[in-house]
Amino acid sequence: MRIAFFVNDVATEFAGYTTTVLAHQAAMRGHDVMYITPSDFIMEKDDSLRAHVREMPKKKWASREAFFQALKDSKAKAEAVNLADVDVLWLRSDPSLDATTAPWRAEAGILFGREAAKRGTLVLNDPDSLGRAINKLYFQGFPEEARAETIITRDERDIKAFAKEYKNNVILKPLQGSGGSGVFKLDNESAGNLNQMIEAISRDGYIICQAYIPAAKKGDIRFFLMNGRPLEVDGKYAALRRVAAKDDIRSNIHAGGKAEAVEIGKTELRVAEIIRPKLIADGMFLVGIDIVGDKILEVNVFSPGNLKSCSTLAEVDFSEAIIGSVERKVEIGKDYGGEFDNRHRAML
């Protein structure tokens, strides 16, 4: 199959990123792999959709690092391809990185992803649903049972009333954003700085104010779901515990958090089951959920990370199962033609 990975910028990718792991796995299975960035699309005068892609040489790579180095090499083949001839367009960008400085880049994958789906290309995750999930308001669509108590507002009076209700044990973060950026933990000691916290976050829009869950002291659990169900291989789940660095509430690995092995039990599986129907209905093929106690704090439907760490800790290569599932979807598309729309085929 021909598979294109859509990313923010090739220059900001790394060898250990989940996208690189998936792209390398696809290449090692003999597929044509290419990369697309927000400025690469072309809508031709005949309404065909093309893209200037960075196409990887088709070969057996000695390592993922060698594969990645070839991607970064300026000699990598770049040409315009018709997306109707591409089997899969995988939207793996993080729109929040461009939302403030270059909004057109944040929307590009979704907009052209919709057009690619119209032309028969399988787009993962479904671009229509990603359009609704471009900020954390999408999170509020999951059942209350699985969510921490939350309000979303820009009014400091609402935030102060909510903080008072929860005795100043709340988390404040931007409605748009990722990677732990702009996240504050309020407590009795820092309550005097609440106005400054509100001011800092509100510069970029609405504020999420969320009740703090005491279990967060032990870190959160990043848990991968595929086709709406926990990603499991040989009885091992694609999951890990992320523990925040000392004096930092952010457990994100690139923000200083540490990855540890974790046992997935009935509580985590119950949370996954609660949110499963919406993920399936929305065509969210591969997602990463962040769990604390019996609540989800985040649902990353764009570019969930830490797959490599999950594989290392479990001693299982989860990327094989993921690419295998994508291969099956492409086969279904060929067997059934246009019988299934993109959202349904994404979950078959």
Side-chain angles (χ1 to χ4, degrees):
M1 67 181 177
R2 305 187 76 192
I3 179 168
F5 291 87
F6 177 80
V7 298
N8 292 81
D9 190 333
V10 170
T12 57
E13 293 296 300
F14 289 92
Y17 274 11
T18 297
T19 302
T20 310
V21 171
L22 295 171
H24 175 247
Q25 180 62 234
M28 293 301 290
R29 293 166 78 99
H31 302 302
D32 294 324
V33 174
M34 58 197 78
Y35 278 71
I36 300 175
T37 63
S39 60
D40 289 334
F41 294 103
I42 323 156
M43 186 76 79
E44 299 281 14
K45 59 185 178 182
D46 64 355
D47 280 341
S48 62
L49 179 63
R50 299 166 70 83
H52 295 286
V53 306
R54 185 172 298 218
E55 190 162 5
M56 300 300 296
K58 196 168 184 180
K59 56 181 280 188
K60 288 293 183 181
W61 297 93
S63 65
R64 188 179 65 254
E65 287 70 22
F67 171 87
F68 181 70
Q69 187 55 48
L71 170 65
K72 304 283 277 191
D73 193 331
S74 60
K75 295 179 182 178
K77 186 178 179 182
E79 62 177 27
V81 302
N82 192 325
L83 286 182
D85 297 327
V86 174
D87 297 295
V88 181
L89 172 60
W90 201 332
L91 303 179
R92 288 281 309 172
S93 70
D94 181 350
S96 69
L97 297 179
D98 296 316
T100 302
T101 58
W104 67 268
R105 294 177 63 89
E107 298 278 356
I110 293 168
L111 295 175
F112 289 105
R114 287 175 179 142
E115 293 300 322
K118 291 177 185 177
R119 289 157 176 78
T121 302
L122 173 63
V123 183
L124 303 171
N125 291 333
D126 182 71
D128 280 336
S129 296
L130 288 181
R132 296 192 298 275
I134 203 163
N135 61 53
K136 293 184 176 71
L137 197 60
Y138 178 78
F139 176 81
Q140 299 304 112
F142 293 98
E144 289 184 21
E145 178 185 352
R147 292 187 278 114
E149 291 82 356
T150 302
I151 65 167
I152 300 173
T153 181
R154 276 179 55 82
D155 194 309
E156 65 177 49
R157 294 169 297 182
D158 301 325
I159 294 172
K160 290 177 178 178
F162 187 88
K164 182 178 180 180
E165 180 181 357
Y166 289 93
K167 299 178 180 179
N168 287 331
N169 282 309
V170 299
I171 297 290
L172 296 144
K173 53 189 175 182
L175 180 61
Q176 288 184 290
S178 66
S181 176
V183 179
F184 295 89
K185 165 70 172 68
L186 187 71
D187 55 30
N188 287 328
E189 290 184 8
S190 62
N193 297 322
L194 180 55
N195 286 335
Q196 290 92 326
M197 294 179 189
I198 294 171
E199 181 181 349
I201 304 174
S202 63
R203 291 188 191 121
D204 295 323
Y206 273 82
I207 300 171
I208 295 175
C209 192
Q210 198 169 61
Y212 179 70
I213 301 172
K217 293 178 181 178
K218 299 179 181 179
D220 65 5
I221 295 174
R222 164 53 59 91
F223 194 10
F224 278 90
L225 307 182
M226 181 177 79
N227 294 320
R229 298 185 180 279
L231 175 53
E232 182 183 9
V233 175
D234 296 336
K236 298 179 179 180
Y237 291 105
L240 53 77
R241 185 181 297 280
R242 304 185 301 182
V243 182
K246 187 178 180 181
D247 299 324
D248 196 333
I249 62 167
R250 301 171 300 169
S251 56
N252 308 75
I253 302 301
H254 72 267
K258 181 175 67 173
E260 297 178 352
V262 65
E263 290 290 328
I264 295 298
K266 292 181 179 179
T267 299
E268 293 78 24
L269 293 176
R270 171 58 183 161
V271 171
E273 179 61 23
I274 292 172
I275 68 173
R276 179 175 66 86
K278 180 171 176 57
L279 295 177
I280 291 176
D282 289 348
M284 298 299 190
F285 163 60
L286 185 69
V287 307
I289 62 174
D290 299 337
I291 304 175
V292 171
D294 61 352
K295 306 292 184 183
I296 47 172
L297 297 185
E298 299 277 359
V299 179
N300 189 325
V301 297
F302 282 95
S303 56
N306 301 142
L307 184 69
K308 176 179 173 289
S309 296
C310 289
S311 293
T312 299
L313 291 168
E315 298 182 336
V316 169
D317 190 347
F318 292 108
S319 69
E320 292 183 359
I322 295 170
I323 299 301
S325 182
V326 175
E327 291 169 345
R328 178 58 183 145
K329 297 176 196 303
V330 172
E331 290 176 1
I332 291 171
K334 292 177 179 177
D335 290 341
Y336 283 87
E339 181 73 17
F340 304 107
D341 63 20
N342 190 82
R343 193 177 304 177
H344 285 88
R345 187 152 67 107
M347 305 304 288
L348 292 174

